[in-house]
Amino acid sequence: MFLFLLASCQKDVDVENVKSKQSHIDPGIINLEYEVETLTVPSLQNADDANAQQKIQAMAFSERNKIKMSAYADGTSAWRIEKQKPKNDLSVQHETPPSDLREVKITEVDRAGMGRFYDDKGALLFTHKVPIASLKDAVANVFENPNAIFTAMGVNTAENVAKILARAKAQGSIVQDLGNGMTSVRTGKGKGGESTLRQKDEADNLTSVDIFNTALGIMMGSTLYDEQENIVCQVYYSYVYNEQNKLVPEATFLQSWDIDPITGEKRKTETHTYFENVTATININ
Amino acid sequence: MKKITLTIFIALFILLVNYGVSSAQTDRTPIYVHGLGDDRDQWAAWQTLFRTERRMIEGSNGDYISAGGVADFASRIPIPVNNNTIYFGHSTGGVVARHIVQHPTPAQSNQFGGIITAGAPMDGARISNNLANNTAGNFVVNGVDKVLKGPIRELGLAAGLLYEVASHRFKDMAEREVNTILNALMGGATATDLAEGSAYMNNGDRTATSTLPKIHIYGNESSPVLWRIASVAAGWGDGELASATQQAYEVCRTLKQANIAKAFLNPFGAALYRWRADGWDTSANWLKDGSERGWNDLIGASIPASITTSSQVLDYTGFGQCMSQYNGTQATYAQYLQCQQQNTHTVFYTTYSPVNTLSDGFIKAPSQTGYHSPWSNNATRIEALGVNHLEMREHAEMIRVYNGVFDRTIFGVDQFFFTPRR
């Protein structure tokens, strides 16, 4: 894949004469804008005995971006991603000795999946294919239920909740009432929901269990299991009131596990994702 | 008449000072010695250039067996012609120069007059230690694992095919380009000798004193040094692979953000998209920072440091217990948020974050200058900015350095090295 990415580089660009469109994206069916900051903290087994290489592989990273995206009826999407200085900045000792490579500040991806990468002056540095998967499921969901926007995070009305659960059932997911207004939705191989979890990929062997508070209309958490029912990752949602006294997503806390290829030990990575200034609109004629 | 005599005397004095008494009359004889696993091509371009532009004859430039230890390597170097001879040594060839000075064979007793080293591990090469203990090998294995995290999770079986291809191709690349430079040091006894703290490095040569004129040229490559030196190993310019890696990094970052957004949009299965985002994050971070800092650690061009950061973390177990008090009733939004708030804690993380330091991408700068070798105390240390270990055979910056040495326009260069133009 690495070489695949390299092989599809487009190098013959006139970098001086191509400027960023500065955030113009044609409105789509779904339009999202927000700022997002992620802090990634891999864990370190036996930290006291770890050598420098193991510690380096467990370095923490943070990044902050301003996201603007639109998804269209055919499932294509357009994106604008602008890097911002993280509030929790870990890049103090980022690059020494210095590099003469110009840093990318803004990334734009058009509906054809072509990415354009600009520096802080808006000059195009390079172009590159960005294989963003189709968003047709999300768009179809919005067509069917126009009031359900960013349904994974955010407050849904009782009517929306009923529609969302009905759609999950129709797609083959196992919907189970846990009592006290809590519902689990199990989606994955042998459990329906094939269109939600894309077929023919590693997710084919994974099962997702989402815990939905139907009374409050919010998603509480989501867990991914492998074929042996081992947890692959868990994500928890955190909400906050905005100025309009409405519950909006504030953060997600992700824990994921993989296998260290050297030691064979299971290792955990925590990713904290904070959202700000979230706006979401739909545009159905 | 007195005035004319004085003028001639002054002119002769200047001439003698600048040329050196012995060098004024005849062209210099150079000896060129390559590094471990290398060949005479290392110096071929310079040999031609110096012979053409400077008062220097073709001299000696051979292909030497270099893997049998520094002493064995040194024994193969031809006899210096006279004390006007300059010894040029790249990499291990520089260490060999010191060995000859300290342990000349009977045939080498007629020593050369001065030494110029370029990228020579005078204090040892940390990469040799890390090859011996397989840390370098693990670095490549880890890199393959991390760089493929995003593609595998996003593209699955389709990527499974790609995985086979990409992993092998990436491994090929790592083995061919990265390991080309690693393998150069895997030459048995010499690699053992070059390890930092080895018996050879501690045999007393480093701590001996020597008044022989010497120059240590040290490469100071720009970031990312790994991808720049790997790019040169692949036969490209030093920016090719650095630029390509930057592009791959940016694509990985973009796909990470796309998956975070998808987690917003899909009612169920959000964990899947976050897992994929995590995969792309892993790929991106290794491409940009993990590879560079890992490599700098392997070559010893790394200063340990750490950063402490904090984050608000939701204790989901405590949150669930808090919410259980509303069993049978129904929590309000305010109660939900209260439970959330009560179980949100600040967690501090201290993360290793080493600082990369100067190197030629292969040997850290202090070792290239013999910083810990008293034998090099009288050496003039000259920086070759933006030059990596493999570029020392042909780089515009090296021309500037050599001209500065031969013209003595670089401060501190011993007069011995003055070599006039033809």
Side-chain angles (χ1 to χ4, degrees), chain B residues 37-70:
Chain B
D38 209 344
D39 58 31
R40 66 187 306 281
D41 284 350
Q42 172 62 40
W43 287 106
W46 299 117
Q47 185 180 25
T48 302
L49 186 72
F50 297 162
R51 187 189 63 215
T52 306
E53 292 190 349
R54 300 283 168 174
R55 291 195 58 183
M56 201 180 290
I57 65 170
E58 187 166 288
S60 165
N61 181 19
D63 295 328
Y64 305 111
I65 294 171
S66 57
V70 174

Tab-separated table of all heavy atoms in Angstrom, chain B residues 37-70:
chain	number	residue	atom	x	y	z
B	37	GLY	N	32.632	-2.368	2.851
B	37	GLY	CA	31.718	-2.897	1.843
B	37	GLY	C	31.613	-2.038	0.601
B	37	GLY	O	30.799	-2.309	-0.281
B	38	ASP	N	32.406	-1.025	0.517
B	38	ASP	CA	32.341	-0.108	-0.617
B	38	ASP	C	33.465	-0.448	-1.602
B	38	ASP	O	34.144	-1.467	-1.473
B	38	ASP	CB	32.482	1.334	-0.082
B	38	ASP	CG	31.771	2.340	-0.961
B	38	ASP	OD1	31.440	1.993	-2.115
B	38	ASP	OD2	31.562	3.473	-0.507
B	39	ASP	N	33.653	0.419	-2.601
B	39	ASP	CA	34.729	0.173	-3.563
B	39	ASP	C	35.345	1.498	-4.006
B	39	ASP	O	34.981	2.558	-3.504
B	39	ASP	CB	34.218	-0.639	-4.759
B	39	ASP	CG	33.065	0.048	-5.470
B	39	ASP	OD1	33.036	1.308	-5.475
B	39	ASP	OD2	32.191	-0.639	-6.010
B	40	ARG	N	36.219	1.412	-4.969
B	40	ARG	CA	36.992	2.577	-5.387
B	40	ARG	C	36.131	3.678	-5.998
B	40	ARG	O	36.578	4.830	-6.080
B	40	ARG	CB	38.074	2.155	-6.387
B	40	ARG	CG	37.536	1.627	-7.717
B	40	ARG	CD	38.651	1.072	-8.581
B	40	ARG	NE	39.729	2.032	-8.776
B	40	ARG	CZ	39.679	3.041	-9.646
B	40	ARG	NH1	38.615	3.213	-10.406
B	40	ARG	NH2	40.693	3.869	-9.779
B	41	ASP	N	34.923	3.337	-6.408
B	41	ASP	CA	34.037	4.362	-6.979
B	41	ASP	C	33.740	5.475	-5.978
B	41	ASP	O	33.355	6.570	-6.358
B	41	ASP	CB	32.720	3.744	-7.448
B	41	ASP	CG	32.891	2.998	-8.753
B	41	ASP	OD1	33.977	3.133	-9.364
B	41	ASP	OD2	31.963	2.272	-9.147
B	42	GLN	N	33.861	5.167	-4.700
B	42	GLN	CA	33.607	6.175	-3.677
B	42	GLN	C	34.430	7.436	-3.938
B	42	GLN	O	33.953	8.557	-3.766
B	42	GLN	CB	33.946	5.611	-2.289
B	42	GLN	CG	33.894	6.641	-1.159
B	42	GLN	CD	32.514	7.241	-0.963
B	42	GLN	OE1	31.523	6.527	-1.045
B	42	GLN	NE2	32.447	8.560	-0.748
B	43	TRP	N	35.633	7.250	-4.368
B	43	TRP	CA	36.528	8.405	-4.530
B	43	TRP	C	36.816	8.719	-5.994
B	43	TRP	O	37.576	9.654	-6.285
B	43	TRP	CB	37.849	8.148	-3.803
B	43	TRP	CG	37.730	8.231	-2.320
B	43	TRP	CD1	37.728	7.191	-1.436
B	43	TRP	CD2	37.595	9.417	-1.530
B	43	TRP	NE1	37.592	7.647	-0.151
B	43	TRP	CE2	37.513	9.022	-0.177
B	43	TRP	CE3	37.527	10.783	-1.825
B	43	TRP	CZ2	37.365	9.928	0.873
B	43	TRP	CZ3	37.383	11.687	-0.781
B	43	TRP	CH2	37.297	11.264	0.556
B	44	ALA	N	36.258	7.949	-6.919
B	44	ALA	CA	36.640	8.089	-8.333
B	44	ALA	C	36.407	9.501	-8.863
B	44	ALA	O	37.276	10.071	-9.537
B	44	ALA	CB	35.874	7.066	-9.169
B	45	ALA	N	35.249	10.068	-8.554
B	45	ALA	CA	34.940	11.406	-9.081
B	45	ALA	C	35.883	12.450	-8.495
B	45	ALA	O	36.348	13.353	-9.208
B	45	ALA	CB	33.490	11.761	-8.758
B	46	TRP	N	36.166	12.291	-7.211
B	46	TRP	CA	37.076	13.259	-6.572
B	46	TRP	C	38.494	13.092	-7.100
B	46	TRP	O	39.218	14.070	-7.298
B	46	TRP	CB	37.052	13.065	-5.052
B	46	TRP	CG	35.703	13.294	-4.452
B	46	TRP	CD1	34.928	12.394	-3.806
B	46	TRP	CD2	34.943	14.513	-4.474
B	46	TRP	NE1	33.740	12.958	-3.417
B	46	TRP	CE2	33.729	14.258	-3.815
B	46	TRP	CE3	35.174	15.786	-4.996
B	46	TRP	CZ2	32.740	15.232	-3.655
B	46	TRP	CZ3	34.200	16.758	-4.841
B	46	TRP	CH2	32.985	16.480	-4.181
B	47	GLN	N	38.884	11.862	-7.323
B	47	GLN	CA	40.219	11.599	-7.853
B	47	GLN	C	40.409	12.331	-9.179
B	47	GLN	O	41.426	12.990	-9.403
B	47	GLN	CB	40.395	10.088	-8.042
B	47	GLN	CG	41.788	9.663	-8.464
B	47	GLN	CD	41.872	8.154	-8.625
B	47	GLN	OE1	40.868	7.479	-8.880
B	47	GLN	NE2	43.065	7.620	-8.470
B	48	THR	N	39.392	12.236	-10.038
B	48	THR	CA	39.459	12.900	-11.338
B	48	THR	C	39.470	14.419	-11.168
B	48	THR	O	40.265	15.124	-11.810
B	48	THR	CB	38.243	12.487	-12.195
B	48	THR	OG1	38.246	11.070	-12.342
B	48	THR	CG2	38.292	13.159	-13.560
B	49	LEU	N	38.581	14.904	-10.310
B	49	LEU	CA	38.469	16.357	-10.118
B	49	LEU	C	39.755	16.944	-9.541
B	49	LEU	O	40.271	17.954	-10.035
B	49	LEU	CB	37.294	16.670	-9.183
B	49	LEU	CG	36.988	18.155	-9.011
B	49	LEU	CD1	36.359	18.728	-10.273
B	49	LEU	CD2	36.071	18.390	-7.808
B	50	PHE	N	40.279	16.300	-8.524
B	50	PHE	CA	41.482	16.837	-7.873
B	50	PHE	C	42.673	16.800	-8.830
B	50	PHE	O	43.483	17.728	-8.863
B	50	PHE	CB	41.808	16.045	-6.602
B	50	PHE	CG	40.742	16.127	-5.528
B	50	PHE	CD1	40.703	15.197	-4.501
B	50	PHE	CD2	39.778	17.129	-5.550
B	50	PHE	CE1	39.733	15.262	-3.510
B	50	PHE	CE2	38.794	17.197	-4.565
B	50	PHE	CZ	38.767	16.263	-3.551
B	51	ARG	N	42.773	15.724	-9.581
B	51	ARG	CA	43.880	15.603	-10.527
B	51	ARG	C	43.783	16.676	-11.597
B	51	ARG	O	44.771	17.219	-12.046
B	51	ARG	CB	43.838	14.212	-11.182
B	51	ARG	CG	45.035	13.889	-12.059
B	51	ARG	CD	44.800	12.620	-12.823
B	51	ARG	NE	43.664	12.770	-13.740
B	51	ARG	CZ	42.810	11.811	-14.042
B	51	ARG	NH1	42.943	10.630	-13.495
B	51	ARG	NH2	41.809	12.021	-14.877
B	52	THR	N	42.536	16.997	-11.984
B	52	THR	CA	42.323	17.974	-13.051
B	52	THR	C	42.547	19.403	-12.565
B	52	THR	O	43.171	20.207	-13.254
B	52	THR	CB	40.875	17.846	-13.591
B	52	THR	OG1	40.655	16.502	-13.970
B	52	THR	CG2	40.646	18.781	-14.773
B	53	GLU	N	42.036	19.684	-11.394
B	53	GLU	CA	42.025	21.081	-10.938
B	53	GLU	C	43.192	21.443	-10.029
B	53	GLU	O	43.567	22.616	-9.950
B	53	GLU	CB	40.716	21.370	-10.183
B	53	GLU	CG	39.483	21.348	-11.049
B	53	GLU	CD	38.255	21.881	-10.312
B	53	GLU	OE1	38.334	22.064	-9.077
B	53	GLU	OE2	37.243	22.117	-10.984
B	54	ARG	N	43.700	20.487	-9.319
B	54	ARG	CA	44.707	20.788	-8.299
B	54	ARG	C	46.057	20.173	-8.666
B	54	ARG	O	46.130	19.251	-9.483
B	54	ARG	CB	44.244	20.238	-6.945
B	54	ARG	CG	42.956	20.803	-6.455
B	54	ARG	CD	43.131	22.195	-5.885
B	54	ARG	NE	41.840	22.854	-5.679
B	54	ARG	CZ	41.695	24.034	-5.074
B	54	ARG	NH1	42.763	24.706	-4.651
B	54	ARG	NH2	40.504	24.570	-4.935
B	55	ARG	N	47.072	20.635	-8.005
B	55	ARG	CA	48.395	20.061	-8.230
B	55	ARG	C	48.492	18.759	-7.442
B	55	ARG	O	49.087	18.673	-6.385
B	55	ARG	CB	49.471	21.054	-7.829
B	55	ARG	CG	49.513	22.254	-8.767
B	55	ARG	CD	50.767	23.051	-8.604
B	55	ARG	NE	51.959	22.253	-8.823
B	55	ARG	CZ	53.195	22.735	-8.669
B	55	ARG	NH1	53.374	23.998	-8.319
B	55	ARG	NH2	54.249	21.962	-8.868
B	56	MET	N	47.856	17.779	-7.997
B	56	MET	CA	47.746	16.473	-7.346
B	56	MET	C	47.759	15.410	-8.439
B	56	MET	O	47.041	15.562	-9.440
B	56	MET	CB	46.427	16.410	-6.561
B	56	MET	CG	46.400	15.374	-5.458
B	56	MET	SD	44.821	15.357	-4.574
B	56	MET	CE	44.856	16.891	-3.698
B	57	ILE	N	48.576	14.401	-8.274
B	57	ILE	CA	48.597	13.340	-9.280
B	57	ILE	C	47.462	12.360	-9.018
B	57	ILE	O	46.706	12.525	-8.066
B	57	ILE	CB	49.953	12.595	-9.306
B	57	ILE	CG1	50.154	11.858	-7.985
B	57	ILE	CG2	51.086	13.560	-9.604
B	57	ILE	CD1	51.343	10.897	-8.008
B	58	GLU	N	47.320	11.358	-9.859
B	58	GLU	CA	46.210	10.414	-9.730
B	58	GLU	C	46.270	9.650	-8.414
B	58	GLU	O	45.255	9.426	-7.764
B	58	GLU	CB	46.234	9.430	-10.890
B	58	GLU	CG	45.033	8.538	-10.929
B	58	GLU	CD	44.911	7.815	-12.255
B	58	GLU	OE1	44.577	8.490	-13.250
B	58	GLU	OE2	45.168	6.604	-12.279
B	59	GLY	N	47.428	9.280	-7.995
B	59	GLY	CA	47.609	8.597	-6.720
B	59	GLY	C	47.034	7.196	-6.702
B	59	GLY	O	46.884	6.555	-7.744
B	60	SER	N	46.690	6.758	-5.528
B	60	SER	CA	46.256	5.382	-5.335
B	60	SER	C	44.784	5.341	-4.923
B	60	SER	O	44.364	6.047	-4.010
B	60	SER	CB	47.125	4.741	-4.238
B	60	SER	OG	46.533	3.570	-3.785
B	61	ASN	N	44.006	4.529	-5.615
B	61	ASN	CA	42.592	4.360	-5.278
B	61	ASN	C	42.199	2.941	-5.635
B	61	ASN	O	42.030	2.616	-6.808
B	61	ASN	CB	41.727	5.369	-6.033
B	61	ASN	CG	40.251	5.237	-5.687
B	61	ASN	OD1	39.901	4.653	-4.656
B	61	ASN	ND2	39.393	5.760	-6.543
B	62	GLY	N	42.066	2.086	-4.662
B	62	GLY	CA	41.836	0.683	-4.963
B	62	GLY	C	40.564	0.118	-4.381
B	62	GLY	O	39.822	0.799	-3.666
B	63	ASP	N	40.294	-1.135	-4.755
B	63	ASP	CA	39.204	-1.898	-4.145
B	63	ASP	C	39.833	-2.794	-3.087
B	63	ASP	O	40.605	-3.690	-3.412
B	63	ASP	CB	38.497	-2.767	-5.185
B	63	ASP	CG	37.786	-1.929	-6.241
B	63	ASP	OD1	37.321	-0.829	-5.906
B	63	ASP	OD2	37.725	-2.368	-7.407
B	64	TYR	N	39.496	-2.546	-1.839
B	64	TYR	CA	40.134	-3.280	-0.761
B	64	TYR	C	39.148	-4.224	-0.094
B	64	TYR	O	37.968	-3.886	0.058
B	64	TYR	CB	40.691	-2.314	0.290
B	64	TYR	CG	41.626	-1.288	-0.292
B	64	TYR	CD1	41.247	0.049	-0.348
B	64	TYR	CD2	42.869	-1.662	-0.809
B	64	TYR	CE1	42.090	0.996	-0.904
B	64	TYR	CE2	43.714	-0.718	-1.365
B	64	TYR	CZ	43.326	0.615	-1.409
B	64	TYR	OH	44.148	1.539	-1.971
B	65	ILE	N	39.629	-5.377	0.313
B	65	ILE	CA	38.814	-6.264	1.150
B	65	ILE	C	38.693	-5.582	2.503
B	65	ILE	O	39.702	-5.251	3.133
B	65	ILE	CB	39.473	-7.645	1.279
B	65	ILE	CG1	39.490	-8.329	-0.096
B	65	ILE	CG2	38.729	-8.514	2.305
B	65	ILE	CD1	40.314	-9.601	-0.140
B	66	SER	N	37.450	-5.361	2.914
B	66	SER	CA	37.271	-4.482	4.071
B	66	SER	C	36.603	-5.148	5.262
B	66	SER	O	36.460	-4.524	6.311
B	66	SER	CB	36.433	-3.266	3.648
B	66	SER	OG	35.187	-3.685	3.120
B	67	ALA	N	36.181	-6.406	5.103
B	67	ALA	CA	35.353	-7.013	6.156
B	67	ALA	C	36.143	-7.785	7.202
B	67	ALA	O	35.568	-8.295	8.150
B	67	ALA	CB	34.314	-7.944	5.527
B	68	GLY	N	37.450	-7.863	7.047
B	68	GLY	CA	38.235	-8.712	7.941
B	68	GLY	C	38.727	-8.036	9.201
B	68	GLY	O	39.650	-8.527	9.853
B	69	GLY	N	38.153	-6.904	9.513
B	69	GLY	CA	38.587	-6.148	10.694
B	69	GLY	C	39.365	-4.921	10.260
B	69	GLY	O	39.923	-4.879	9.153
B	70	VAL	N	39.392	-3.935	11.124
B	70	VAL	CA	40.064	-2.687	10.770
B	70	VAL	C	41.558	-2.924	10.528
B	70	VAL	O	42.146	-2.395	9.575
B	70	VAL	CB	39.856	-1.630	11.880
B	70	VAL	CG1	40.681	-0.387	11.596
B	70	VAL	CG2	38.374	-1.265	12.001
